[in-house]
Amino acid sequence: MSEPEELEDDLIAPGAEPAPVTPSVRFREPLDLLVMVKSEGMRLDQYVQLHLGADWSRSVVQKAIEGGGVLLNGRPVLKPSYKVRKNDRLHVTMPEPTHEIPVPEDIPLDILYQDEWLALVNKPADMVVHPAKGNWSGTLVNALQWHFREHLSTGAGHLRAGIVHRLDKDTSGVILVAKDDLTHRDLAMQFESRKVFKEYVAIAAGELERDSDYIEGALKMHPYDRLKMIVSTDPDAKHALSYYEVLERFRGFTLVKVQPRTGRTHQIRVHLLHVGCAVLADKIYGGRAQVKLSEIAPGTPAAGDEVLLGRQALHAFRLRFQHPRTGQWIEAEAPLPPDMRRTLDALRQYRAIR
């Protein structure tokens, strides 16, 4: 699993001004820049990355600067923190990118809705959304490249073509895809202004006290484990709010619907843990990565035991938003996947509240 993002978990906002000078992942020629007054005071690494485009990470740009790849008025400048000044002349030579534009892969997709501007896809569990270190193939973006070819937004970079928001690798369900940059910007604005209605379904380990309530707890990165987020009262923690409604109760477990009003990293998983009911089979926050039948039905013979669930029981069930081009309200639902249905069947059989 990739590290949590500092920004909101959902939003993949396209780059602000200025636009990349050339398609960044294919950029090979040195780039000459003249700093204008409006950019004066900006960090050198930020300024260079902004002009290269979203496919060059800040860390890669910093390494290029430290390696002498950026000349300032004809001389190497080795400090990424240098504050650029008006009329500074920069000559940027970046190393060859390790990876090209994601290769289209013929991966089947469950397309819930599509038109000429956008698509809604039911992402399966165990699929990474976009290529990153350790996951350069088999991602949703690789599949989108095959199904939609050039009809994908690239404002957030070619490695995230079409991706407006994220779902964790092991979270299944509805994800929104933009086919052009204008649609991407409009959809990203809806996410940012909390105008997109999101509804998740989770199986929780534990019994929630109330049938419906809200969980409010600001989130920040764990101080020692960069894979985790925590609820915190620190001033730098970001406000997070989730509403929930119990759908079904079992002995020791709860089927719950959650509506996050903010889009923080791992928000639902951390909030449910915070109230003592971690998402079932959540390795990061629940301590175990799978659930067997014998854990739900004690006494199950070894020969009849099986793994019911091998990932966190969290599913993006419904997404509702206003179509940025037609103005119509679009709503898409993704049915519960087989592993969650199988787990619920076992709970109804062996853990029903009589």
Side-chain angles (χ1 to χ4, degrees), residues 29-65:
E29 298 300 322
L31 177 64
D32 290 300
L33 301 171
L34 176 64
V35 178
M36 308 303 288
V37 65
K38 66 178 181 180
S39 299
E40 191 166 27
M42 183 180 291
R43 280 178 57 110
L44 177 63
D45 53 356
Q46 291 178 316
Y47 182 82
V48 171
Q49 185 194 27
L50 195 60
H51 283 76
L52 287 175
D55 290 320
W56 293 97
S57 70
R58 178 83 70 82
S59 61
V60 171
V61 172
Q62 289 172 346
K63 288 179 181 178
I65 294 171

PDB file of all heavy atoms in Angstrom, residues 29-65:
ATOM      1  N   GLU A  29      14.272  17.293 -24.140  1.00  0.00           N
ATOM      2  CA  GLU A  29      15.154  18.418 -24.435  1.00  0.00           C
ATOM      3  C   GLU A  29      15.298  19.329 -23.221  1.00  0.00           C
ATOM      4  O   GLU A  29      14.379  19.469 -22.424  1.00  0.00           O
ATOM      5  CB  GLU A  29      14.594  19.225 -25.617  1.00  0.00           C
ATOM      6  CG  GLU A  29      14.490  18.435 -26.911  1.00  0.00           C
ATOM      7  CD  GLU A  29      15.835  17.904 -27.374  1.00  0.00           C
ATOM      8  OE1 GLU A  29      16.834  18.640 -27.222  1.00  0.00           O
ATOM      9  OE2 GLU A  29      15.893  16.765 -27.856  1.00  0.00           O
ATOM     10  N   PRO A  30      16.455  19.947 -23.049  1.00  0.00           N
ATOM     11  CA  PRO A  30      16.621  20.909 -21.958  1.00  0.00           C
ATOM     12  C   PRO A  30      15.590  22.027 -22.057  1.00  0.00           C
ATOM     13  O   PRO A  30      15.132  22.379 -23.153  1.00  0.00           O
ATOM     14  CB  PRO A  30      18.040  21.438 -22.167  1.00  0.00           C
ATOM     15  CG  PRO A  30      18.741  20.340 -22.909  1.00  0.00           C
ATOM     16  CD  PRO A  30      17.689  19.751 -23.822  1.00  0.00           C
ATOM     17  N   LEU A  31      15.248  22.579 -20.918  1.00  0.00           N
ATOM     18  CA  LEU A  31      14.214  23.600 -20.843  1.00  0.00           C
ATOM     19  C   LEU A  31      14.827  24.888 -20.316  1.00  0.00           C
ATOM     20  O   LEU A  31      15.520  24.886 -19.292  1.00  0.00           O
ATOM     21  CB  LEU A  31      13.104  23.127 -19.898  1.00  0.00           C
ATOM     22  CG  LEU A  31      11.942  24.076 -19.626  1.00  0.00           C
ATOM     23  CD1 LEU A  31      11.152  24.337 -20.906  1.00  0.00           C
ATOM     24  CD2 LEU A  31      11.027  23.480 -18.564  1.00  0.00           C
ATOM     25  N   ASP A  32      14.601  25.999 -21.032  1.00  0.00           N
ATOM     26  CA  ASP A  32      15.088  27.307 -20.604  1.00  0.00           C
ATOM     27  C   ASP A  32      13.931  28.132 -20.066  1.00  0.00           C
ATOM     28  O   ASP A  32      12.881  28.252 -20.723  1.00  0.00           O
ATOM     29  CB  ASP A  32      15.748  28.036 -21.779  1.00  0.00           C
ATOM     30  CG  ASP A  32      17.077  27.388 -22.173  1.00  0.00           C
ATOM     31  OD1 ASP A  32      17.974  27.344 -21.313  1.00  0.00           O
ATOM     32  OD2 ASP A  32      17.195  26.919 -23.325  1.00  0.00           O
ATOM     33  N   LEU A  33      14.109  28.684 -18.861  1.00  0.00           N
ATOM     34  CA  LEU A  33      13.050  29.436 -18.198  1.00  0.00           C
ATOM     35  C   LEU A  33      13.567  30.800 -17.762  1.00  0.00           C
ATOM     36  O   LEU A  33      14.725  30.928 -17.336  1.00  0.00           O
ATOM     37  CB  LEU A  33      12.541  28.677 -16.969  1.00  0.00           C
ATOM     38  CG  LEU A  33      11.959  27.274 -17.199  1.00  0.00           C
ATOM     39  CD1 LEU A  33      11.727  26.589 -15.861  1.00  0.00           C
ATOM     40  CD2 LEU A  33      10.668  27.365 -17.991  1.00  0.00           C
ATOM     41  N   LEU A  34      12.712  31.786 -17.865  1.00  0.00           N
ATOM     42  CA  LEU A  34      13.000  33.128 -17.367  1.00  0.00           C
ATOM     43  C   LEU A  34      11.992  33.448 -16.276  1.00  0.00           C
ATOM     44  O   LEU A  34      10.783  33.440 -16.519  1.00  0.00           O
ATOM     45  CB  LEU A  34      12.906  34.167 -18.485  1.00  0.00           C
ATOM     46  CG  LEU A  34      13.088  35.630 -18.067  1.00  0.00           C
ATOM     47  CD1 LEU A  34      14.496  35.860 -17.520  1.00  0.00           C
ATOM     48  CD2 LEU A  34      12.796  36.566 -19.233  1.00  0.00           C
ATOM     49  N   VAL A  35      12.462  33.696 -15.060  1.00  0.00           N
ATOM     50  CA  VAL A  35      11.573  33.923 -13.929  1.00  0.00           C
ATOM     51  C   VAL A  35      10.923  35.301 -14.045  1.00  0.00           C
ATOM     52  O   VAL A  35      11.606  36.317 -14.204  1.00  0.00           O
ATOM     53  CB  VAL A  35      12.349  33.819 -12.599  1.00  0.00           C
ATOM     54  CG1 VAL A  35      11.415  34.109 -11.422  1.00  0.00           C
ATOM     55  CG2 VAL A  35      12.973  32.431 -12.457  1.00  0.00           C
ATOM     56  N   MET A  36       9.593  35.301 -13.959  1.00  0.00           N
ATOM     57  CA  MET A  36       8.836  36.554 -14.009  1.00  0.00           C
ATOM     58  C   MET A  36       8.555  37.028 -12.584  1.00  0.00           C
ATOM     59  O   MET A  36       8.687  36.277 -11.604  1.00  0.00           O
ATOM     60  CB  MET A  36       7.526  36.358 -14.768  1.00  0.00           C
ATOM     61  CG  MET A  36       7.721  35.723 -16.150  1.00  0.00           C
ATOM     62  SD  MET A  36       8.843  36.666 -17.219  1.00  0.00           S
ATOM     63  CE  MET A  36       7.797  38.064 -17.594  1.00  0.00           C
ATOM     64  N   VAL A  37       8.126  38.264 -12.446  1.00  0.00           N
ATOM     65  CA  VAL A  37       7.963  38.871 -11.138  1.00  0.00           C
ATOM     66  C   VAL A  37       6.929  38.131 -10.291  1.00  0.00           C
ATOM     67  O   VAL A  37       7.062  38.019  -9.063  1.00  0.00           O
ATOM     68  CB  VAL A  37       7.583  40.358 -11.276  1.00  0.00           C
ATOM     69  CG1 VAL A  37       6.213  40.519 -11.935  1.00  0.00           C
ATOM     70  CG2 VAL A  37       7.619  41.045  -9.901  1.00  0.00           C
ATOM     71  N   LYS A  38       5.881  37.559 -10.908  1.00  0.00           N
ATOM     72  CA  LYS A  38       4.829  36.892 -10.125  1.00  0.00           C
ATOM     73  C   LYS A  38       5.332  35.615  -9.463  1.00  0.00           C
ATOM     74  O   LYS A  38       4.708  35.119  -8.515  1.00  0.00           O
ATOM     75  CB  LYS A  38       3.623  36.590 -11.007  1.00  0.00           C
ATOM     76  CG  LYS A  38       3.881  35.576 -12.112  1.00  0.00           C
ATOM     77  CD  LYS A  38       2.611  35.318 -12.900  1.00  0.00           C
ATOM     78  CE  LYS A  38       2.835  34.278 -13.994  1.00  0.00           C
ATOM     79  NZ  LYS A  38       1.583  34.020 -14.755  1.00  0.00           N
ATOM     80  N   SER A  39       6.451  35.077  -9.941  1.00  0.00           N
ATOM     81  CA  SER A  39       6.996  33.844  -9.354  1.00  0.00           C
ATOM     82  C   SER A  39       8.137  34.110  -8.380  1.00  0.00           C
ATOM     83  O   SER A  39       8.690  33.167  -7.806  1.00  0.00           O
ATOM     84  CB  SER A  39       7.484  32.907 -10.463  1.00  0.00           C
ATOM     85  OG  SER A  39       6.428  32.533 -11.316  1.00  0.00           O
ATOM     86  N   GLU A  40       8.491  35.358  -8.202  1.00  0.00           N
ATOM     87  CA  GLU A  40       9.615  35.691  -7.341  1.00  0.00           C
ATOM     88  C   GLU A  40       9.353  35.210  -5.922  1.00  0.00           C
ATOM     89  O   GLU A  40       8.259  35.364  -5.375  1.00  0.00           O
ATOM     90  CB  GLU A  40       9.857  37.210  -7.336  1.00  0.00           C
ATOM     91  CG  GLU A  40      11.168  37.599  -6.690  1.00  0.00           C
ATOM     92  CD  GLU A  40      11.552  39.042  -6.999  1.00  0.00           C
ATOM     93  OE1 GLU A  40      10.642  39.853  -7.237  1.00  0.00           O
ATOM     94  OE2 GLU A  40      12.754  39.346  -6.999  1.00  0.00           O
ATOM     95  N   GLY A  41      10.361  34.571  -5.323  1.00  0.00           N
ATOM     96  CA  GLY A  41      10.227  34.064  -3.962  1.00  0.00           C
ATOM     97  C   GLY A  41       9.817  32.611  -3.889  1.00  0.00           C
ATOM     98  O   GLY A  41       9.814  32.017  -2.798  1.00  0.00           O
ATOM     99  N   MET A  42       9.480  31.995  -5.012  1.00  0.00           N
ATOM    100  CA  MET A  42       9.086  30.587  -5.015  1.00  0.00           C
ATOM    101  C   MET A  42      10.323  29.705  -4.886  1.00  0.00           C
ATOM    102  O   MET A  42      11.395  30.043  -5.404  1.00  0.00           O
ATOM    103  CB  MET A  42       8.332  30.253  -6.312  1.00  0.00           C
ATOM    104  CG  MET A  42       7.806  28.825  -6.381  1.00  0.00           C
ATOM    105  SD  MET A  42       6.928  28.479  -7.940  1.00  0.00           S
ATOM    106  CE  MET A  42       5.478  29.498  -7.730  1.00  0.00           C
ATOM    107  N   ARG A  43      10.184  28.607  -4.190  1.00  0.00           N
ATOM    108  CA  ARG A  43      11.296  27.654  -4.104  1.00  0.00           C
ATOM    109  C   ARG A  43      11.658  27.153  -5.500  1.00  0.00           C
ATOM    110  O   ARG A  43      10.795  26.942  -6.358  1.00  0.00           O
ATOM    111  CB  ARG A  43      10.910  26.461  -3.234  1.00  0.00           C
ATOM    112  CG  ARG A  43      10.994  26.693  -1.738  1.00  0.00           C
ATOM    113  CD  ARG A  43      10.527  25.445  -1.003  1.00  0.00           C
ATOM    114  NE  ARG A  43      11.305  24.260  -1.371  1.00  0.00           N
ATOM    115  CZ  ARG A  43      12.153  23.641  -0.567  1.00  0.00           C
ATOM    116  NH1 ARG A  43      12.368  24.111   0.660  1.00  0.00           N
ATOM    117  NH2 ARG A  43      12.793  22.551  -0.966  1.00  0.00           N
ATOM    118  N   LEU A  44      12.938  26.931  -5.712  1.00  0.00           N
ATOM    119  CA  LEU A  44      13.414  26.479  -7.020  1.00  0.00           C
ATOM    120  C   LEU A  44      12.783  25.150  -7.421  1.00  0.00           C
ATOM    121  O   LEU A  44      12.349  24.993  -8.566  1.00  0.00           O
ATOM    122  CB  LEU A  44      14.939  26.345  -6.998  1.00  0.00           C
ATOM    123  CG  LEU A  44      15.591  25.807  -8.276  1.00  0.00           C
ATOM    124  CD1 LEU A  44      15.342  26.741  -9.443  1.00  0.00           C
ATOM    125  CD2 LEU A  44      17.094  25.616  -8.047  1.00  0.00           C
ATOM    126  N   ASP A  45      12.721  24.183  -6.489  1.00  0.00           N
ATOM    127  CA  ASP A  45      12.155  22.890  -6.864  1.00  0.00           C
ATOM    128  C   ASP A  45      10.677  23.004  -7.229  1.00  0.00           C
ATOM    129  O   ASP A  45      10.193  22.352  -8.158  1.00  0.00           O
ATOM    130  CB  ASP A  45      12.370  21.845  -5.758  1.00  0.00           C
ATOM    131  CG  ASP A  45      11.886  22.305  -4.396  1.00  0.00           C
ATOM    132  OD1 ASP A  45      11.438  23.455  -4.264  1.00  0.00           O
ATOM    133  OD2 ASP A  45      11.974  21.505  -3.438  1.00  0.00           O
ATOM    134  N   GLN A  46       9.945  23.851  -6.519  1.00  0.00           N
ATOM    135  CA  GLN A  46       8.537  24.063  -6.849  1.00  0.00           C
ATOM    136  C   GLN A  46       8.391  24.707  -8.222  1.00  0.00           C
ATOM    137  O   GLN A  46       7.519  24.313  -9.023  1.00  0.00           O
ATOM    138  CB  GLN A  46       7.873  24.950  -5.793  1.00  0.00           C
ATOM    139  CG  GLN A  46       7.725  24.284  -4.434  1.00  0.00           C
ATOM    140  CD  GLN A  46       7.105  25.229  -3.419  1.00  0.00           C
ATOM    141  OE1 GLN A  46       7.479  26.404  -3.347  1.00  0.00           O
ATOM    142  NE2 GLN A  46       6.171  24.730  -2.648  1.00  0.00           N
ATOM    143  N   TYR A  47       9.206  25.698  -8.487  1.00  0.00           N
ATOM    144  CA  TYR A  47       9.119  26.424  -9.749  1.00  0.00           C
ATOM    145  C   TYR A  47       9.417  25.499 -10.929  1.00  0.00           C
ATOM    146  O   TYR A  47       8.691  25.500 -11.932  1.00  0.00           O
ATOM    147  CB  TYR A  47      10.109  27.593  -9.730  1.00  0.00           C
ATOM    148  CG  TYR A  47      10.079  28.456 -10.965  1.00  0.00           C
ATOM    149  CD1 TYR A  47       9.120  29.449 -11.123  1.00  0.00           C
ATOM    150  CD2 TYR A  47      11.009  28.273 -11.988  1.00  0.00           C
ATOM    151  CE1 TYR A  47       9.079  30.243 -12.251  1.00  0.00           C
ATOM    152  CE2 TYR A  47      10.983  29.050 -13.131  1.00  0.00           C
ATOM    153  CZ  TYR A  47      10.015  30.034 -13.262  1.00  0.00           C
ATOM    154  OH  TYR A  47       9.975  30.806 -14.400  1.00  0.00           O
ATOM    155  N   VAL A  48      10.477  24.706 -10.804  1.00  0.00           N
ATOM    156  CA  VAL A  48      10.847  23.799 -11.895  1.00  0.00           C
ATOM    157  C   VAL A  48       9.783  22.735 -12.095  1.00  0.00           C
ATOM    158  O   VAL A  48       9.376  22.444 -13.231  1.00  0.00           O
ATOM    159  CB  VAL A  48      12.221  23.149 -11.606  1.00  0.00           C
ATOM    160  CG1 VAL A  48      12.513  22.053 -12.622  1.00  0.00           C
ATOM    161  CG2 VAL A  48      13.318  24.210 -11.650  1.00  0.00           C
ATOM    162  N   GLN A  49       9.283  22.147 -10.998  1.00  0.00           N
ATOM    163  CA  GLN A  49       8.263  21.110 -11.130  1.00  0.00           C
ATOM    164  C   GLN A  49       7.007  21.654 -11.789  1.00  0.00           C
ATOM    165  O   GLN A  49       6.369  20.979 -12.599  1.00  0.00           O
ATOM    166  CB  GLN A  49       7.916  20.527  -9.761  1.00  0.00           C
ATOM    167  CG  GLN A  49       6.940  19.342  -9.852  1.00  0.00           C
ATOM    168  CD  GLN A  49       6.333  18.988  -8.516  1.00  0.00           C
ATOM    169  OE1 GLN A  49       6.210  19.829  -7.629  1.00  0.00           O
ATOM    170  NE2 GLN A  49       5.950  17.730  -8.367  1.00  0.00           N
ATOM    171  N   LEU A  50       6.647  22.878 -11.452  1.00  0.00           N
ATOM    172  CA  LEU A  50       5.441  23.480 -12.014  1.00  0.00           C
ATOM    173  C   LEU A  50       5.537  23.588 -13.530  1.00  0.00           C
ATOM    174  O   LEU A  50       4.549  23.403 -14.244  1.00  0.00           O
ATOM    175  CB  LEU A  50       5.239  24.871 -11.398  1.00  0.00           C
ATOM    176  CG  LEU A  50       3.863  25.520 -11.567  1.00  0.00           C
ATOM    177  CD1 LEU A  50       2.781  24.670 -10.932  1.00  0.00           C
ATOM    178  CD2 LEU A  50       3.872  26.910 -10.943  1.00  0.00           C
ATOM    179  N   HIS A  51       6.735  23.846 -14.032  1.00  0.00           N
ATOM    180  CA  HIS A  51       6.914  23.996 -15.473  1.00  0.00           C
ATOM    181  C   HIS A  51       7.133  22.666 -16.189  1.00  0.00           C
ATOM    182  O   HIS A  51       6.873  22.557 -17.391  1.00  0.00           O
ATOM    183  CB  HIS A  51       8.080  24.958 -15.766  1.00  0.00           C
ATOM    184  CG  HIS A  51       7.719  26.396 -15.578  1.00  0.00           C
ATOM    185  ND1 HIS A  51       7.612  26.969 -14.332  1.00  0.00           N
ATOM    186  CD2 HIS A  51       7.413  27.376 -16.469  1.00  0.00           C
ATOM    187  CE1 HIS A  51       7.262  28.235 -14.465  1.00  0.00           C
ATOM    188  NE2 HIS A  51       7.136  28.514 -15.747  1.00  0.00           N
ATOM    189  N   LEU A  52       7.596  21.673 -15.459  1.00  0.00           N
ATOM    190  CA  LEU A  52       7.782  20.361 -16.082  1.00  0.00           C
ATOM    191  C   LEU A  52       6.475  19.599 -16.201  1.00  0.00           C
ATOM    192  O   LEU A  52       6.271  18.829 -17.136  1.00  0.00           O
ATOM    193  CB  LEU A  52       8.787  19.531 -15.270  1.00  0.00           C
ATOM    194  CG  LEU A  52      10.254  19.940 -15.372  1.00  0.00           C
ATOM    195  CD1 LEU A  52      11.082  19.103 -14.413  1.00  0.00           C
ATOM    196  CD2 LEU A  52      10.759  19.780 -16.796  1.00  0.00           C
ATOM    197  N   GLY A  53       5.589  19.776 -15.228  1.00  0.00           N
ATOM    198  CA  GLY A  53       4.326  19.055 -15.263  1.00  0.00           C
ATOM    199  C   GLY A  53       4.233  18.019 -14.162  1.00  0.00           C
ATOM    200  O   GLY A  53       5.200  17.686 -13.481  1.00  0.00           O
ATOM    201  N   ALA A  54       3.040  17.458 -14.003  1.00  0.00           N
ATOM    202  CA  ALA A  54       2.721  16.621 -12.846  1.00  0.00           C
ATOM    203  C   ALA A  54       3.417  15.272 -12.832  1.00  0.00           C
ATOM    204  O   ALA A  54       3.467  14.610 -11.801  1.00  0.00           O
ATOM    205  CB  ALA A  54       1.203  16.403 -12.770  1.00  0.00           C
ATOM    206  N   ASP A  55       3.950  14.827 -13.962  1.00  0.00           N
ATOM    207  CA  ASP A  55       4.566  13.507 -13.986  1.00  0.00           C
ATOM    208  C   ASP A  55       5.971  13.497 -13.381  1.00  0.00           C
ATOM    209  O   ASP A  55       6.553  12.431 -13.195  1.00  0.00           O
ATOM    210  CB  ASP A  55       4.629  12.965 -15.415  1.00  0.00           C
ATOM    211  CG  ASP A  55       3.246  12.609 -15.941  1.00  0.00           C
ATOM    212  OD1 ASP A  55       2.451  12.062 -15.165  1.00  0.00           O
ATOM    213  OD2 ASP A  55       2.960  12.902 -17.105  1.00  0.00           O
ATOM    214  N   TRP A  56       6.521  14.671 -13.093  1.00  0.00           N
ATOM    215  CA  TRP A  56       7.816  14.748 -12.414  1.00  0.00           C
ATOM    216  C   TRP A  56       7.536  15.050 -10.950  1.00  0.00           C
ATOM    217  O   TRP A  56       7.037  16.118 -10.610  1.00  0.00           O
ATOM    218  CB  TRP A  56       8.684  15.845 -13.019  1.00  0.00           C
ATOM    219  CG  TRP A  56       9.114  15.572 -14.419  1.00  0.00           C
ATOM    220  CD1 TRP A  56       8.531  16.024 -15.567  1.00  0.00           C
ATOM    221  CD2 TRP A  56      10.226  14.773 -14.827  1.00  0.00           C
ATOM    222  NE1 TRP A  56       9.208  15.566 -16.654  1.00  0.00           N
ATOM    223  CE2 TRP A  56      10.262  14.787 -16.239  1.00  0.00           C
ATOM    224  CE3 TRP A  56      11.203  14.050 -14.146  1.00  0.00           C
ATOM    225  CZ2 TRP A  56      11.221  14.112 -16.976  1.00  0.00           C
ATOM    226  CZ3 TRP A  56      12.162  13.371 -14.871  1.00  0.00           C
ATOM    227  CH2 TRP A  56      12.173  13.403 -16.267  1.00  0.00           C
ATOM    228  N   SER A  57       7.890  14.125 -10.062  1.00  0.00           N
ATOM    229  CA  SER A  57       7.651  14.340  -8.644  1.00  0.00           C
ATOM    230  C   SER A  57       8.645  15.356  -8.095  1.00  0.00           C
ATOM    231  O   SER A  57       9.704  15.593  -8.678  1.00  0.00           O
ATOM    232  CB  SER A  57       7.780  13.021  -7.877  1.00  0.00           C
ATOM    233  OG  SER A  57       9.129  12.590  -7.853  1.00  0.00           O
ATOM    234  N   ARG A  58       8.288  15.945  -6.950  1.00  0.00           N
ATOM    235  CA  ARG A  58       9.170  16.925  -6.322  1.00  0.00           C
ATOM    236  C   ARG A  58      10.514  16.289  -5.969  1.00  0.00           C
ATOM    237  O   ARG A  58      11.565  16.910  -6.111  1.00  0.00           O
ATOM    238  CB  ARG A  58       8.499  17.482  -5.062  1.00  0.00           C
ATOM    239  CG  ARG A  58       9.348  18.491  -4.279  1.00  0.00           C
ATOM    240  CD  ARG A  58       9.229  19.882  -4.869  1.00  0.00           C
ATOM    241  NE  ARG A  58       7.927  20.412  -4.627  1.00  0.00           N
ATOM    242  CZ  ARG A  58       7.531  20.992  -3.490  1.00  0.00           C
ATOM    243  NH1 ARG A  58       8.378  21.108  -2.488  1.00  0.00           N
ATOM    244  NH2 ARG A  58       6.324  21.474  -3.365  1.00  0.00           N
ATOM    245  N   SER A  59      10.488  15.039  -5.485  1.00  0.00           N
ATOM    246  CA  SER A  59      11.740  14.395  -5.078  1.00  0.00           C
ATOM    247  C   SER A  59      12.679  14.191  -6.263  1.00  0.00           C
ATOM    248  O   SER A  59      13.897  14.349  -6.137  1.00  0.00           O
ATOM    249  CB  SER A  59      11.446  13.057  -4.394  1.00  0.00           C
ATOM    250  OG  SER A  59      10.788  12.166  -5.269  1.00  0.00           O
ATOM    251  N   VAL A  60      12.115  13.854  -7.426  1.00  0.00           N
ATOM    252  CA  VAL A  60      12.948  13.675  -8.617  1.00  0.00           C
ATOM    253  C   VAL A  60      13.553  15.012  -9.043  1.00  0.00           C
ATOM    254  O   VAL A  60      14.737  15.096  -9.407  1.00  0.00           O
ATOM    255  CB  VAL A  60      12.121  13.063  -9.763  1.00  0.00           C
ATOM    256  CG1 VAL A  60      12.916  13.079 -11.066  1.00  0.00           C
ATOM    257  CG2 VAL A  60      11.717  11.629  -9.419  1.00  0.00           C
ATOM    258  N   VAL A  61      12.751  16.069  -8.987  1.00  0.00           N
ATOM    259  CA  VAL A  61      13.250  17.405  -9.333  1.00  0.00           C
ATOM    260  C   VAL A  61      14.357  17.820  -8.369  1.00  0.00           C
ATOM    261  O   VAL A  61      15.382  18.366  -8.777  1.00  0.00           O
ATOM    262  CB  VAL A  61      12.099  18.429  -9.324  1.00  0.00           C
ATOM    263  CG1 VAL A  61      12.642  19.851  -9.494  1.00  0.00           C
ATOM    264  CG2 VAL A  61      11.087  18.112 -10.420  1.00  0.00           C
ATOM    265  N   GLN A  62      14.158  17.555  -7.091  1.00  0.00           N
ATOM    266  CA  GLN A  62      15.183  17.912  -6.097  1.00  0.00           C
ATOM    267  C   GLN A  62      16.498  17.188  -6.363  1.00  0.00           C
ATOM    268  O   GLN A  62      17.575  17.787  -6.271  1.00  0.00           O
ATOM    269  CB  GLN A  62      14.670  17.589  -4.698  1.00  0.00           C
ATOM    270  CG  GLN A  62      13.565  18.525  -4.227  1.00  0.00           C
ATOM    271  CD  GLN A  62      12.941  18.079  -2.916  1.00  0.00           C
ATOM    272  OE1 GLN A  62      13.131  16.948  -2.475  1.00  0.00           O
ATOM    273  NE2 GLN A  62      12.185  18.965  -2.296  1.00  0.00           N
ATOM    274  N   LYS A  63      16.421  15.906  -6.709  1.00  0.00           N
ATOM    275  CA  LYS A  63      17.639  15.146  -6.996  1.00  0.00           C
ATOM    276  C   LYS A  63      18.338  15.696  -8.236  1.00  0.00           C
ATOM    277  O   LYS A  63      19.570  15.740  -8.299  1.00  0.00           O
ATOM    278  CB  LYS A  63      17.287  13.675  -7.191  1.00  0.00           C
ATOM    279  CG  LYS A  63      16.902  12.968  -5.895  1.00  0.00           C
ATOM    280  CD  LYS A  63      16.541  11.507  -6.146  1.00  0.00           C
ATOM    281  CE  LYS A  63      16.132  10.831  -4.842  1.00  0.00           C
ATOM    282  NZ  LYS A  63      15.721   9.424  -5.062  1.00  0.00           N
ATOM    283  N   ALA A  64      17.541  16.116  -9.226  1.00  0.00           N
ATOM    284  CA  ALA A  64      18.135  16.694 -10.433  1.00  0.00           C
ATOM    285  C   ALA A  64      18.865  17.993 -10.105  1.00  0.00           C
ATOM    286  O   ALA A  64      19.963  18.259 -10.617  1.00  0.00           O
ATOM    287  CB  ALA A  64      17.045  16.939 -11.479  1.00  0.00           C
ATOM    288  N   ILE A  65      18.271  18.810  -9.231  1.00  0.00           N
ATOM    289  CA  ILE A  65      18.919  20.064  -8.831  1.00  0.00           C
ATOM    290  C   ILE A  65      20.212  19.784  -8.080  1.00  0.00           C
ATOM    291  O   ILE A  65      21.266  20.362  -8.371  1.00  0.00           O
ATOM    292  CB  ILE A  65      17.955  20.902  -7.958  1.00  0.00           C
ATOM    293  CG1 ILE A  65      16.746  21.350  -8.784  1.00  0.00           C
ATOM    294  CG2 ILE A  65      18.686  22.119  -7.370  1.00  0.00           C
ATOM    295  CD1 ILE A  65      15.642  21.986  -7.960  1.00  0.00           C
TER     296      ILE A  65
END
